[in-house]
Amino acid sequence: MNSNRPTPTRRRSSDRLTFLASVSALALGLGLAGTAEAGYSELFGASDDLSVLLVGYSDDSWYSGFGLVSASDYLGQEDGALNDGYATVDLGEVATPNSISAEMSEFLLSGDGTTVAGSYLESGKWTSFLWTEADGFTELGTLDGGTWSYAMAVSYDGSAVAGNAETADGSQHAYYWQSGDSSLTDLGTLPGETYSSVSAISGDGTTVVGYSDSHGFVWSLGDSAMTDIGSLGGSTLATLVSFDGDVVVGYSFTDSSYSAYHAIRWTEAGGLVDLGTFGGNWSSANAMSADGDVIVGQSYTASSYAHAFRWAVGSDGITGTMADLGTLGGTDSYAYDVSDDGSVVVGEATDASNVSHAFRWTEENGLISVDDWLRSNGVTLTEDVTLAATAVSSDGSTILGYTYDYELFIARVAGIITLEEYLSSVSNAGSIATAQPIGSADTIMFGAQGSPMRNLLSAGQKSVYGTVDSGYDDGASSDGGLLLGDFGFAYGLSDGMTLRVSAGGSYTDQDLDEGGDYQSKGWYISPEVSANVAGNLYLTVGGYYSRGKLDINRGYLNGTATDYSTGETDTETYAAKIRLDWLNAFTVEEVAFTPYAALSRTNSKTDAYSESGGSFPASYDAASDHATIARLGLDAIRPLTGTITLLARAEVAYRFEEETAGTSGEIIGLSSFDLEGQDVKQLWLRGGIGAEMAVAGGTASLMLNATTEGDDPDVWLRSGWKVDF
């Protein structure tokens, strides 16, 4: 650590729903902040609508970069890593303001999610900066004669920054900067003081609050000096400011002994107002409504228990009343956030058994647990699951918090989900949408059409055939049956060259492991040519094209019951393969062996679609995926009688891709997501045993196949019939 780094004041942003502290704790509890490819990552802030999170990452003791990601994306990661598809800045890859290799400290995100403010370290000195994806870095500089500056707060639209900086005499002063300024504005100190520090800036960027030595201050554009917000007898700190800058909230000690402090509210018209306590020696404010007329927090009672409070201004616009929101039958409660209009308060409270529960308060219903609020709206909860509510949306309809398992939850009238479980179901559905068509294509090209050496024709010879593949697939996220069938025509182009064209349909019906099911149906056409290239070597080149429809009924937990959201989308798949067979390369005791090698490439595309039904439907962006698979195998045949031939196959397959494509979209009405793909099994074995027999003037065949997972079904039966003429 560098000794020249100023000590920042821990603060809660004045922008609504910036639930930095609570979500950071959740991220750590969930193991989401930890070692990633870039090293350590940490959540620093959220946009006002929760759609964008600010994540810093480091490979050392300081931060080396930051990224803007969606809330669902970050909270869905196992390691807190940053994904592609969102703005990321790595100081090892981009030019910093002075083209240096810099270290960074804490980051700040504007309420609209477009601007990052922070500080970088060069030669032991900190310098404030502003960054947008469009304009890159803007260095804010230092105060005249000073050597460092440190950003502490940024306005809603990112046009204004406030922070602390060194003066020419080595003191620390609060500063202000707005777009268009060529230098920092020194906000000075309160009269007789030598030190000042910033706590927050108003959403509109016009007002800065903080403290100067032992007194809180407010400064607004156009002011020639700071305004002392007063005191209750001891030190004072201004911590929050309303969006328009008219209301300042903080706390003040009641005397010089620091034995008691009270939450305070300040306005220019009314000065400093003591919000009081419930008979105890302290109270503190955590949040306020958009206009500052409602303030929430907690206060000690005369029995030294903390009770959540809601303070509301009176008709004079200055004084008000602190209301005790009570508990759930226990001793303590804490109010953490309030809706923009002040009508909904959320937090946590204990019951008679001293167990904490998330609560929601309204004037109509009083203080009730989030679990009971959900039950009263028809949500099935066989047991209480919420521990604390840490944030509420501006309209009061959506609550965020964490469960007893320390998983982040989102609750609204329709239900409650935990992001970890919910996003797992979203990821599985998205993966299936692109992976299922790939699996069907591979089964057709190497199942129904997997024995080209059994259908070689001489010049001018023809054949017609039909094949059916039916089986069971137990995949990574689903299990169920599949059925593939086609008819084909083959023609001997010349001695040693055979053309085959197949057309058919596919159907899959599987249950999702996390609840729900999906059905896939489609048609395909697949041509291929086998040609003798030298001796007994045959080269087969084939193609595949398919269109299909996928219906997904996605299941997920809503409370303690399974809810379902249903979507429908179209798929398109195309593929190519090349295969080399060494026909009857060797014979061992009447068994002829044909080794082969094959390489295939399959691409699938899925249209964008939106789910309907259920409490938390999602919309999915269009997606594409591909699979490149190499196969080495050995076919064996042994004539058993004049009309029956035994068949066998052994094969090893390797997929070059390590994971499926990612899944992106939106939890409708809540947040976007951009999730990593799922791991795939890259190496698997496949075996088959069967027979051919002369039937009704043609040749019938049966082969039972099995695999060790991979892209092929677990077990399937290939049956076929052909006739040459």
Side-chain angles (χ1 to χ4, degrees):
M1 292 288 193
N2 191 287
S3 59
N4 290 315
R5 180 194 180 194
T7 302
T9 302
R10 300 307 298 175
R11 61 208 176 278
R12 181 185 176 93
S13 170
S14 60
D15 292 337
R16 291 263 318 109
L17 280 182
T18 301
F19 60 119
L20 168 60
S22 58
V23 179
S24 293
L26 289 171
L28 291 170
L30 287 167
L32 299 176
T35 302
E37 291 184 4
Y40 179 82
S41 65
E42 182 179 350
L43 182 62
F44 274 93
S47 62
D48 203 41
D49 63 0
L50 303 182
S51 65
V52 179
L53 297 185
L54 172 62
V55 181
Y57 56 91
S58 172
D59 53 11
D60 201 351
S61 57
W62 293 105
Y63 293 94
S64 58
F66 56 83
L68 302 181
V69 302
S70 77
S72 298
D73 183 28
Y74 180 72
L75 293 169
Q77 300 306 312
E78 293 181 356
D79 56 10
L82 301 178
N83 282 350
D84 294 335
Y86 290 87
T88 59
V89 177
D90 189 329
L91 297 188
E93 299 175 356
V94 301
T96 54
N98 292 328
S99 299
I100 59 172
S101 176
E103 293 174 328
M104 290 181 163
S105 185
E106 295 185 40
F107 305 109
L108 308 159
L109 182 63
S110 61
D112 64 3
T114 64
T115 305
V116 177
S119 309
Y120 69 86
L121 182 68
E122 179 187 12
S123 301
K125 304 296 182 181
W126 291 97
T127 301
S128 302
F129 72 83
L130 199 69
W131 177 91
T132 65
E133 188 173 10
D135 300 328
F137 280 92
T138 299
E139 181 182 335
L140 304 187
T142 60
L143 294 174
D144 289 342
T147 61
W148 60 260
S149 65
Y150 199 84
M152 299 289 287
V154 60
S155 64
Y156 179 84
D157 64 1
S159 63
V161 177
N164 303 324
E166 184 185 39
T167 62
D169 64 3
S171 300
Q172 175 180 305
H173 283 194
Y175 77 75
Y176 175 83
W177 177 95
Q178 65 177 334
S179 180
D181 287 354
S182 59
S183 61
L184 303 181
T185 298
D186 186 346
L187 303 190
T189 67
L190 291 173
E193 309 290 4
T194 61
Y195 170 95
S196 61
S197 182
V198 167
S199 296
I201 189 171
S202 60
D204 64 6
T206 63
T207 305
V208 178
V209 300
Y211 61 95
S212 178
D213 286 290
S214 59
H215 274 208
F217 75 81
V218 57
W219 177 94
S220 297
L221 275 175
D223 290 351
S224 59
M226 295 177 172
T227 297
D228 189 336
I229 65 171
S231 168
L232 298 179
S235 297
T236 304
L237 178 64
T239 58
L240 304 173
V241 59
S242 62
F243 191 93
D244 61 6
D246 288 345
V247 179
V248 179
V249 171
Y251 62 87
S252 176
F253 287 93
T254 57
D255 55 41
S256 60
S257 68
Y258 297 97
S259 59
Y261 62 88
H262 293 188
I264 57 170
R265 179 180 186 266
W266 178 94
T267 60
E268 186 175 5
L272 186 143
V273 174
D274 183 353
L275 303 193
T277 72
F278 295 137
N281 60 0
W282 67 261
S283 61
S284 60
N286 293 325
M288 62 175 154
S289 59
D291 59 8
D293 285 351
V294 174
I295 301 168
V296 300
Q298 52 279 329
S299 170
Y300 257 13
T301 66
S303 303
S304 296
Y305 293 117
H307 276 204
F309 74 76
R310 178 182 181 271
W311 184 94
V313 72
S315 58
D316 61 1
I318 298 172
T319 60
T321 303
M322 176 185 281
D324 188 340
L325 302 188
T327 69
L328 294 170
T331 56
D332 297 282
S333 60
Y334 303 84
Y336 295 138
D337 205 1
V338 61
S339 60
D340 271 0
D341 65 1
S343 64
V344 179
V345 182
V346 298
E348 68 174 303
T350 59
D351 61 17
S353 300
N354 206 34
V355 176
S356 289
H357 302 263
F359 78 73
R360 179 181 188 269
W361 178 95
T362 62
E363 188 171 1
E364 177 183 1
N365 296 318
L367 188 146
I368 61 174
S369 71
V370 169
D371 303 273
D372 285 342
W373 172 64
L374 292 168
R375 290 186 183 104
S376 68
N377 286 286
V379 179
T380 300
L381 281 171
T382 57
E383 60 183 2
D384 291 342
V385 297
T386 64
L387 174 61
T390 56
V392 63
S393 61
S394 58
D395 63 1
S397 65
T398 303
I399 300 172
L400 292 93
Y402 52 100
T403 69
Y404 293 114
D405 295 326
Y406 293 96
E407 295 180 351
L408 186 71
F409 74 75
I410 298 176
R412 55 189 183 189
V413 170
I416 178 173
I417 56 174
T418 60
L419 278 181
E420 186 175 13
E421 186 276 335
Y422 179 87
L423 291 176
S424 177
S425 73
V426 168
S427 178
N428 288 339
S431 177
I432 285 169
T434 53
Q436 187 279 327
I438 289 176
S440 292
D442 286 337
T443 302
I444 291 166
M445 290 193 297
F446 294 96
Q449 300 166 23
S451 301
M453 297 301 96
R454 305 305 298 161
N455 196 7
L456 296 176
L457 302 176
S458 58
Q461 190 178 14
K462 306 176 183 68
S463 73
V464 291
Y465 54 86
T467 59
V468 175
D469 285 283
S470 58
Y472 174 80
D473 184 17
D474 186 3
S477 56
S478 64
D479 63 273
L482 74 157
L483 181 65
L484 311 169
D486 63 36
F487 292 96
F489 172 77
Y491 179 70
L493 298 174
S494 64
D495 290 337
M497 182 175 291
T498 303
L499 168 68
R500 291 177 290 273
V501 179
S502 303
S506 62
Y507 179 77
T508 303
D509 188 348
Q510 298 204 12
D511 293 326
L512 298 172
D513 292 347
E514 296 186 349
D517 55 72
Y518 76 89
Q519 294 79 39
S520 171
K521 51 190 175 184
W523 59 265
Y524 62 87
I525 184 169
S526 182
E528 65 179 23
V529 175
S530 296
N532 181 233
V533 293
N536 281 354
L537 289 178
Y538 284 81
L539 181 67
T540 300
V541 178
Y544 173 91
Y545 180 79
S546 173
R547 293 190 69 88
K549 186 173 293 293
L550 187 65
D551 296 304
I552 301 180
N553 183 36
R554 179 176 61 89
Y556 52 90
L557 281 180
N558 176 9
T560 56
T562 301
D563 205 348
Y564 300 92
S565 295
T566 302
E568 178 183 290
T569 186
D570 294 323
T571 63
E572 182 180 22
T573 310
Y574 50 96
K577 71 175 180 181
I578 184 170
R579 171 172 171 154
L580 185 65
D581 287 81
W582 187 1
L583 182 62
N584 300 331
F586 58 94
T587 302
V588 178
E589 295 186 358
E590 299 184 26
V591 180
F593 292 92
T594 298
Y596 64 88
L599 181 67
S600 64
R601 167 77 177 208
T602 307
N603 291 71
S604 70
K605 296 190 296 183
T606 302
D607 291 345
Y609 71 98
S610 295
E611 295 174 334
S612 60
S615 302
F616 292 88
S619 63
Y620 295 80
D621 297 334
S624 61
D625 201 359
H626 64 271
T628 307
I629 301 175
R631 300 172 187 261
L632 291 175
L634 186 66
D635 283 338
I637 63 170
R638 183 186 187 281
L640 188 62
T641 68
T643 58
I644 299 176
T645 301
L646 298 180
L647 310 173
R649 169 172 295 166
E651 180 184 274
V652 58
Y654 178 79
R655 179 171 175 176
F656 291 91
E657 295 81 15
E658 296 180 353
E659 61 181 28
T660 64
T663 302
S664 62
E666 179 189 3
I667 306 173
I668 296 174
L670 289 177
S671 174
S672 63
F673 55 82
D674 189 0
L675 306 175
E676 291 181 337
Q678 298 184 348
D679 293 339
V680 299
K681 187 167 185 177
Q682 292 181 270
L683 183 67
W684 67 94
L685 302 176
R686 171 184 167 190
I689 186 169
E692 287 182 346
M693 63 200 74
V695 175
T699 302
S701 61
L702 285 173
M703 177 170 276
L704 181 64
N705 301 274
T707 66
T708 58
E709 300 182 20
D711 280 17
D712 295 322
D714 288 355
V715 179
W716 81 97
L717 179 68
R718 176 185 179 274
S719 58
W721 181 83
K722 70 170 183 172
V723 58
D724 299 336
F725 56 94

